[in-house]
Amino acid sequence: MGVTGSVLELCNLTRRVGDGTPARAIIDNFSYSFGSARLYSIIGPSGAGKSSLLRLLNRLDECTDGSVKFKGRDTREFAPCELRQRVGYLFQTPHLFDRTVRDNIVYAQPHLSESKISCLIQQVQLPSGIVDAPVDNLSVGERQRVALARLLATQPEVALLDEPTAALDPANTEAIERLISSVVTDHGVTVVMVSHSRQQVVRLGGEAILMVDGKLIEHGDAVQLVKNPGTPQGRRYMNGEPQ
Amino acid sequence: MTTPGITQVLLAGIMVVIAIAVARYWRLPVIKDMAFGSVRGFVQLVAVGYAVRFIFDIESPWLIMLALGIMMTVGAHAAAGRVKNVKGSFGISLAAILTGSLITLATMLVFKIISFDARYIIPLAGMIIGNSMNASALVIDRLASDLRGNRLAIETALALGKSWREASQQFHRDAARTGMVAMLNFLKTVGIVALPGAMTGMILAGADPVEAVLLQVIVVYMLLSATTITSVVAVELTIRRFFTRYHQLRTNL
């Protein structure tokens, strides 16, 4: 797993919401660099702004101040549709369009070849016969894999995953975690994942980023940060104490 | 039939009394609305009758235009009042009703289907604006409700690189159809189940039924055109309120 330069660079990123004076900052002066082909887990208490941060990275939401650079260029210089294919996003509860597995996989890439579709189905460890099945008949775990295959079909350079295993049982969680690791190591995709599980962050390794109240509190090696946090807020979070 | 006078109108009030008695027996919570609505309807219609008679007598194009402007503004205000929580719904309704009505009326005038005469313009515009008002309110309400209720589906499409138009296209089509559905249903049953108002009015006034039918066909085509244009304009203007220029679904919907 080679680290080569920064793929996403956040500089004083801030998002304020609401009509208050001043408006409340849900992302507060956040600066960080995400390296290429690496796995990052964003952790922190509920309401810390983890999902809000993810939404700024592919411009599903607009920042109020600061900037995000993708491969050295401000994301505002990209056409939003192009940026979002290169910086993919998987929602916590993925929405599948009410059709077949194939229709969902080719949704963003209508000219995808049959062999590529089969390859994606295999990559997310779904049985090959499932490709023409209606999505209504799928289990929660299978739906998550279809959504992941659909995301990978766009060949993103960065994958933003918002708690991808939150609704899954342990067996499916383990399978999706293996898949996430393989996306990083075998396909060179940078994965930025929101997680609520400290155990999961340790299992997956890579880097971890602790957020509280929209601010970056600390970051570093995932195992180190979970087991031996370097800040009082980090220790409180890891001990399950209120912030 | 006796030509209606004030005596006949007062006698027709017996039917309102019957309706109120039925509602009272069934304890329907609409008695106040029925009584107030019947009186208000009488006053409004009588006032309109005198106003239209005045416009017919003066025969001024400016007065006709003024009347159309007032009718469209009131129609847009009523349509906006039926829509919940959509910023700018009055402006959207006014633009949609104005476009649908003016294109339809202009087509009828250019092709000399009608002449620029208050006797034609005012009643036909009344029908057009009334139908366009309903279409506009239904379209805005349906679209806003669908966009709010399908946030995840829309953002999933946006996150996969689709444009706002692609991400919401199912919802614009559904909303536009909602605005037209009353007219489409009417077309299916016209003449078989329902005898439409314009035709019935002419027959009651003593006109030849075939002539009445021909006028009714014109009215139906006119309303089809107006509701379609109004619906499409209402969709186009409403949808833009919900997305930013960067293909983001607004969070403060």
Side-chain angles (χ1 to χ4, degrees):
Chain A
M1 191 166 76
V3 182
T4 52
S6 143
V7 65
L8 274 175
E9 201 178 332
L10 285 55
C11 185
N12 302 322
L13 196 64
T14 300
R15 177 166 162 82
R16 293 190 189 88
V17 294
D19 303 324
T21 316
R24 188 171 66 93
I26 54 169
I27 301 296
D28 195 355
N29 214 22
F30 199 108
S31 296
Y32 191 75
S33 281
F34 294 96
S36 180
R38 302 204 66 180
L39 172 66
Y40 295 87
S41 298
I42 304 178
I43 53 174
S46 295
K50 304 183 292 293
S51 300
S52 302
L53 178 71
L54 232 49
R55 291 174 63 89
L56 295 178
L57 303 188
N58 72 344
R59 274 191 101 190
L60 273 180
D61 285 334
E62 204 66 11
C63 62
T64 320
D65 284 310
S67 65
V68 178
K69 282 184 179 161
F70 173 57
K71 296 203 146 181
R73 272 174 69 199
D74 195 309
T75 50
R76 284 168 287 209
E77 292 172 18
F78 289 85
C81 302
E82 185 207 336
L83 176 74
R84 289 174 194 153
Q85 290 219 331
R86 297 177 71 180
V87 183
Y89 194 109
L90 185 70
F91 289 88
Q92 186 177 346
T93 318
H95 174 84
L96 296 184
F97 299 102
D98 194 17
R99 284 166 282 199
T100 64
V101 170
R102 179 199 304 276
D103 292 335
N104 273 276
I105 291 176
V106 301
Y107 179 76
Q109 295 288 316
H111 304 297
L112 214 58
S113 68
E114 275 306 310
S115 62
K116 184 68 188 160
I117 296 171
S118 304
C119 190
L120 285 163
I121 291 280
Q122 202 179 357
Q123 192 183 345
V124 297
Q125 296 154 14
L126 283 168
S128 57
I130 209 168
V131 72
D132 287 313
V135 293
D136 293 347
N137 302 342
L138 304 181
S139 68
V140 180
E142 287 169 332
R143 291 175 73 85
Q144 188 66 289
R145 286 168 210 225
V146 172
L148 207 47
R150 183 177 61 188
L151 172 74
L152 295 174
T154 62
Q155 295 185 293
E157 288 152 78
V158 179
L160 310 170
L161 312 179
D162 191 357
E163 295 194 57
T165 59
L168 302 183
D169 59 26
N172 272 306
T173 297
E174 198 188 320
I176 294 288
E177 285 175 2
R178 274 203 308 272
L179 196 55
I180 291 168
S181 295
S182 117
V183 165
V184 177
T185 50
D186 303 340
H187 299 271
V189 177
T190 299
V191 170
V192 183
M193 183 181 84
V194 169
S195 179
H196 259 300
S197 162
R198 280 153 263 182
Q199 293 87 340
Q200 180 174 60
V201 172
V202 170
R203 280 197 302 271
L204 282 169
E207 302 269 324
I209 298 157
L210 174 68
M211 279 182 81
V212 176
D213 292 336
K215 295 186 180 78
L216 190 157
I217 301 300
E218 62 178 301
H219 63 90
D221 177 78
V223 179
Q224 277 296 314
L225 195 145
V226 170
K227 294 197 168 162
N228 189 19
T231 59
Q233 285 137 304
R235 282 190 284 278
R236 279 202 294 274
Y237 174 68
M238 298 310 164
N239 292 332
E241 295 166 15
Q243 290 295 322
Chain B
M1 180 183 166
T2 320
T3 307
I6 194 69
T7 315
Q8 281 74 25
V9 172
L10 289 174
L11 287 171
I14 293 168
M15 289 177 279
V16 176
V17 174
I18 293 170
I20 289 175
V22 170
R24 196 187 164 104
Y25 181 78
W26 285 95
R27 296 184 182 180
L28 303 177
V30 290
I31 296 169
K32 258 189 191 168
D33 289 343
M34 289 169 83
F36 183 66
S38 303
V39 175
R40 191 176 66 178
F42 173 79
V43 173
Q44 282 175 190
L45 286 169
V46 169
V48 165
Y50 280 104
V52 172
R53 182 193 275 179
F54 174 71
I55 294 167
F56 284 5
D57 290 346
I58 301 283
E59 269 298 349
S60 155
W62 297 111
L63 203 56
I64 294 174
M65 304 292 262
L66 178 68
L68 291 183
I70 293 170
M71 287 159 78
M72 285 179 200
T73 308
V74 173
H77 183 71
R82 283 161 50 188
V83 175
K84 287 173 204 142
N85 302 327
V86 178
K87 282 180 193 164
S89 55
F90 172 73
I92 296 170
S93 299
L94 186 61
I97 293 171
L98 196 82
T99 314
S101 305
L102 289 188
I103 290 178
T104 306
L105 283 172
T107 306
M108 298 215 295
L109 288 169
V110 166
F111 289 98
K112 299 192 185 327
I113 299 165
I114 57 167
S115 57
F116 195 84
D117 184 333
R119 190 166 292 278
Y120 294 111
I121 299 276
I122 299 294
L124 292 178
M127 280 192 256
I128 290 174
I129 294 166
N131 281 270
S132 297
M133 175 185 81
N134 288 334
S136 172
L138 287 169
V139 164
I140 301 171
D141 203 41
R142 170 72 190 263
L143 188 56
S145 150
D146 276 358
L147 294 178
R148 289 189 178 112
N150 290 283
R151 183 170 198 106
L152 181 61
I154 294 166
E155 289 204 319
T156 296
L158 293 174
L160 287 163
K162 297 289 181 181
S163 66
W164 66 262
R165 188 172 283 283
E166 290 169 312
S168 59
Q169 92 183 353
Q170 178 200 335
F171 307 112
H172 353 136
R173 287 177 186 162
D174 288 349
R177 197 178 175 283
T178 302
M180 294 155 63
V181 81
M183 198 62 222
L184 295 171
N185 287 339
F186 175 71
L187 283 176
K188 284 182 196 158
T189 57
V190 65
I192 301 168
V193 179
L195 290 180
M199 178 179 143
T200 311
M202 277 183 77
I203 294 171
L204 287 174
D208 174 40
V210 175
E211 274 179 29
V213 163
L214 293 177
L215 177 80
Q216 186 60 54
V217 172
I218 293 171
V219 167
V220 167
Y221 291 172
M222 168 189 92
L223 294 181
L224 185 64
S225 155
T227 50
T228 305
I229 296 167
T230 301
S231 298
V232 170
V233 173
V235 165
E236 285 296 324
L237 296 178
T238 306
I239 196 99
R240 283 173 167 74
R241 302 251 161 197
F242 284 82
F243 290 93
T244 70
R245 53 199 275 243
Y246 307 115
H247 304 268
Q248 295 154 332
L249 186 58
R250 288 187 194 278
T251 45
N252 54 342
L253 295 180

